Amino acid sequence: MTKAVTDVTDLQAKPADPRPPSPADLAQRPARVEVEPRTVTGAQSLVLALEAVGVDTVFGLPGGAILPAYDPLLDSVKLRHVLVRHEQGAGHAAQGYASATGKVGVCMATSGPGATNLVTPIADAYMDSVPMVAITGQVSSRTIGTDAFQEADIRGITMPITKHNYLVTDPAEIPRAIAEAFHVAATGRPGPVLVDITKDALQASTTFSWPPTFELPGYRPVTRPHTKQIKAAAELIRAARKPVLYVGGGVIRGGAAAELRELVEVAQIPLVTTLMARGAVPDSHELHLGMPGMHGSVPAVTALQKSDLLITLGARFDDRVTGELSSFAPEAKVIHADIDPAEISKNRHADVPIVGDAKEVIRDLTAAVKADIDAGRGGDYAAWRKRTAGWKADFPIGYTAPEDGSIAPQYVIERLGALTGAEGTYVAGVGQHQMWAAQFVQYERPNSWLNSGGLGTMGYSVPAAMGAKAAEPERTVWAIDGDGCFQMTNQELATCVVNEIPIKVAIINNSSLGMVRQWQTLFYNERYSNTDLHTAHDGRRVPDFVKLAEAYGCVGLRCERPEDVDATIQQALEINDRPVVIDFVVERDAMVWPMVPAGVSNDKVTMARAMTPVWDREDDEAVDQADPTEEDEA
């Protein structure tokens, strides 16, 4: 049996006080290890449980079924509630809060459509291993199954996209459910947990005590790696001549960036960081080859393809990294370390599987590699380092400035990162701007890059940036968004204004659903079916983003010339009392390069349109395979 041990609030009410104590009353009393149980409502029990597990911010929107919880929430001096304008915004804000801090994010909604509006961020959190607890109200227990007003089986709906979920009909079960939910969300492979509570359970009287005792049969995440597997991994590392550290988002979620940096310094093995792992090792590190995958750097893609050993840490061999799986890294043996045993050998057979927490695994690997080096048995990777460094020098990610004098979107993002610096937090939507943000901002610290990786959710950026800024108000937080993504959740700018959360938004406005347009250009004979958003390039602005920003109470700026980019960004950086929205009107036909088309081998990586590296020569030079005038960007 596992006990949840947290700070315990003194629930002893004054004997002369006839009413149940409010959360505010209880919060002002001294903490002690043992408390006398007190009679409270289920709603008060919920608020007290949230306080006890250390929650400080809840993003939510009230409604009928959850309304009983909002009454005691008003009295809490420990919980800040941020009233969003749409429940999806609450979920993404909780994700942003969690991704920026590593703590569990919390969102709250009512039953029916309130709960179903959380489905997208819950699925997003599940795909990207974000620790989150979603609390929803449910209709009264006696009306469940009758198609009551605003009834939805949110537990059934979210069963495939949560680590665990609860339907609580007994108010006595609320503390245990909350304690378990936070434990499950934060331990093992992090992820979302749903707690659905019926309205009558929130209204009924109950006895609250803390900490609750709970038992989770079958839930025993393995954190310590097996010594035998570490030894086997060390043997493969010692024997390899072309190893690559393939670093995934699990290293970020596991808080193992410092341990990874030590392993890199000890082993001196080249590395790549996936889209979800940007910042796990500083981009400036000489052994960092960049991001692999569909829009990864040529050195990163090439190194994986030509390696003889993949040391895979917290990555899952996602299709966007591997391309055609059967041709991915054909000569490589695989060490695969992950806290989730279901991921190991799911897509690629692991020669050495290691189940364990990223910190523990990397620490043990570092110790084993160091012991080999100290004993004179270290691997010899000098030639491999020289070769990968050559690829890095020969094939940097770049772009060509538009000939018509318009703004290159890559330039905007490059300057935004340079002027803001490594201490900023960058939160992207999904599409071309997401890939450019991953490529052209230099990430030097973990948790500085937030994005929707697995689900690819348009609308993620603005509310996630809001959550990140609420969590770390001292940081500059940029939402780097497309004109399509921005229009899905920009109503949360009102939330930011009212709650004094001064995020900065850079809209990369190409008047299109940019990534879809790129695919239509490359694969659909430039037949642009339903991708024109009419936001900048046809003489209309529908909407006018500057006017929209001002209507919300934000500062609205527009930049249409390359020579104004720096000054506009600098102006935004100097405004910190309210949100700033910049409409960057950029070249419409810019494309994301490099690119590996979906479903083909990574050997088919293209640096630009019709330009691919030659793979079968040691010096790996790029050759143009068509008319040079067809090249769009280098």
Side-chain angles (χ1 to χ4, degrees):
M1 185 171 289
T2 304
K3 291 186 177 181
V5 181
T6 65
D7 291 336
V8 181
T9 306
D10 185 355
L11 305 180
Q12 191 95 22
K14 297 178 181 178
D17 191 350
R19 63 179 177 84
S22 73
D25 295 331
L26 301 175
Q28 294 172 2
R29 296 175 185 164
R32 61 187 199 184
V33 176
E34 295 181 3
V35 297
E36 288 186 25
R38 288 290 300 179
T39 300
V40 295
T41 66
Q44 288 175 311
S45 181
L46 171 62
V47 173
L48 291 168
L50 291 173
E51 291 180 342
V53 294
V55 175
D56 55 32
T57 305
V58 177
F59 302 92
L61 188 68
I66 197 65
L67 197 57
Y70 272 80
D71 186 63
L73 188 61
L74 187 65
D75 294 324
S76 177
V77 296
K78 291 185 176 180
L79 297 179
R80 177 193 188 189
H81 181 272
V82 176
L83 174 62
V84 298
R85 298 307 183 262
H86 190 284
E87 290 89 355
Q88 183 180 350
H92 291 320
Q95 286 184 273
Y97 178 100
S99 297
T101 63
K103 296 166 63 176
V104 178
V106 184
C107 55
M108 187 180 293
T110 195
S111 62
T116 58
N117 281 341
L118 287 177
V119 169
T120 294
I122 289 172
D124 196 296
Y126 186 74
M127 290 285 282
D128 288 349
S129 304
V130 178
M132 185 172 83
V133 171
I135 299 166
T136 54
Q138 183 55 273
V139 299
S140 180
S141 58
R142 65 181 178 276
T143 61
I144 290 178
T146 68
D147 291 331
F149 177 66
Q150 291 193 335
E151 179 186 358
D153 179 12
I154 194 62
R155 188 183 185 203
I157 290 168
T158 61
M159 192 77 73
I161 54 170
T162 52
K163 282 190 72 178
H164 195 51
N165 59 27
Y166 299 82
L167 172 61
V168 181
T169 60
D170 181 352
E173 294 298 311
I174 291 174
R176 180 184 61 82
I178 292 297
E180 288 184 7
F182 277 79
H183 175 72
V184 171
T187 56
R189 179 178 180 172
V193 178
L194 175 84
V195 181
D196 194 33
I197 310 174
T198 60
K199 187 171 184 178
D200 54 327
L202 291 169
Q203 292 172 321
S205 294
T206 185
T207 299
F208 179 86
S209 61
W210 195 269
T213 299
F214 64 80
E215 186 173 9
L216 293 166
Y219 184 70
R220 298 288 185 272
V222 175
T223 58
R224 289 288 299 142
H226 198 289
T227 302
K228 179 181 177 182
Q229 300 306 99
I230 295 294
K231 289 181 178 178
E235 289 175 6
L236 286 186
I237 293 171
R238 185 168 60 246
R241 290 295 176 265
K242 299 183 292 181
V244 176
L245 287 161
Y246 166 23
V247 179
V251 171
I252 298 285
R253 296 288 183 246
E259 288 76 12
L260 176 62
R261 179 68 181 270
E262 184 179 0
L263 174 60
V264 173
E265 296 298 337
V266 168
Q268 289 293 295
I269 292 173
L271 71 132
V272 301
T273 55
T274 67
L275 179 70
M276 298 306 297
R278 303 292 286 114
V281 171
D283 284 352
S284 58
H285 197 286
E286 63 180 358
L287 292 175
H288 197 311
L289 303 178
M291 179 178 74
M294 175 175 280
H295 294 296
S297 71
V298 170
V301 173
T302 306
L304 291 177
Q305 286 299 100
K306 292 192 172 293
S307 67
D308 63 4
L309 177 65
L310 300 182
I311 306 165
T312 309
L313 305 172
R316 56 191 181 89
F317 292 89
D318 173 74
D319 63 288
R320 281 300 192 261
V321 169
T322 66
E324 184 183 32
L325 187 61
S326 61
S327 64
F328 176 68
E331 302 172 8
K333 293 184 177 180
V334 173
I335 298 167
H336 192 177
D338 203 290
I339 197 159
D340 184 357
E343 288 295 343
I344 295 177
S345 293
K346 182 177 78 175
N347 293 326
R348 172 69 177 258
H349 171 73
D351 297 279
V352 177
I354 306 175
V355 178
D357 176 77
K359 278 190 176 183
E360 301 290 348
V361 170
I362 295 171
R363 283 172 181 163
D364 286 1
L365 279 177
T366 302
V369 170
K370 190 174 186 302
D372 279 344
I373 292 172
D374 290 345
R377 300 193 305 267
D380 180 9
Y381 319 127
W384 177 237
R385 284 195 297 269
K386 181 179 179 181
R387 193 175 180 199
T388 57
W391 293 328
K392 189 174 176 181
D394 291 341
F395 305 123
I397 289 178
Y399 59 93
T400 300
E403 294 182 359
D404 62 2
S406 60
I407 303 175
Q410 303 95 324
Y411 177 69
V412 171
I413 294 170
E414 185 177 58
R415 296 307 300 156
L416 190 149
L419 293 172
T420 304
E423 292 306 310
T425 297
Y426 305 87
V427 187
V430 169
Q432 287 181 314
H433 63 279
Q434 175 191 24
M435 295 298 102
W436 288 321
Q439 292 174 336
F440 290 100
V441 174
Q442 184 157 304
Y443 297 100
E444 298 293 305
R445 65 176 184 87
N447 303 317
S448 59
W449 163 246
L450 283 55
N451 82 124
S452 171
L455 196 63
T457 303
M458 293 179 68
Y460 170 89
S461 180
V462 169
M466 177 176 69
K469 183 68 173 178
E472 298 185 313
E474 72 284 357
R475 291 196 188 277
T476 298
V477 178
W478 280 99
I480 302 173
D481 225 349
D483 46 317
C485 290
F486 178 70
Q487 292 185 77
M488 293 194 171
T489 52
N490 65 49
Q491 70 274 1
E492 298 310 331
L493 288 174
T495 309
C496 291
V497 170
V498 171
N499 290 276
E500 299 181 344
I501 305 173
I503 66 170
K504 305 183 193 303
V505 182
I507 303 173
I508 308 302
N509 183 0
N510 60 4
S511 200
S512 301
L513 297 172
M515 189 62 84
V516 183
R517 182 182 172 89
Q518 176 168 334
W519 281 51
Q520 287 173 334
T521 299
L522 296 174
F523 309 120
Y524 293 89
N525 298 316
E526 299 182 5
R527 289 167 53 84
Y528 300 118
S529 174
N530 292 283
T531 48
D532 191 343
L533 295 176
H534 303 285
T535 52
H537 286 82
D538 57 0
R540 295 187 291 171
R541 300 188 189 277
V542 185
D544 185 317
F545 291 131
V546 172
K547 291 180 179 178
L548 181 65
E550 292 172 347
Y552 276 125
C554 307
V555 174
L557 305 172
R558 179 171 289 119
C559 182
E560 299 182 275
R561 303 189 308 164
E563 57 266 34
D564 296 332
V565 168
D566 277 20
T568 306
I569 294 172
Q570 198 61 53
Q571 184 179 352
L573 291 172
E574 292 169 359
I575 299 171
N576 293 300
D577 60 344
R578 50 189 162 153
V580 182
V581 177
I582 308 175
D583 179 14
F584 286 104
V585 180
V586 301
E587 178 195 7
R588 188 169 201 173
D589 290 313
M591 294 192 192
V592 182
W593 301 106
M595 181 177 181
V596 179
V600 305
S601 170
N602 279 354
D603 290 340
K604 303 292 186 181
V605 62
T606 55
M607 298 164 54
R609 198 168 181 179
M611 177 177 282
T612 62
V614 172
W615 292 84
D616 57 352
R617 290 173 54 183
E618 287 296 301
D619 56 356
D620 283 88
E621 65 185 41
V623 295
D624 193 353
Q625 296 185 343
D627 187 332
T629 60
E630 295 183 7
E631 180 185 337
D632 289 342
E633 298 162 282

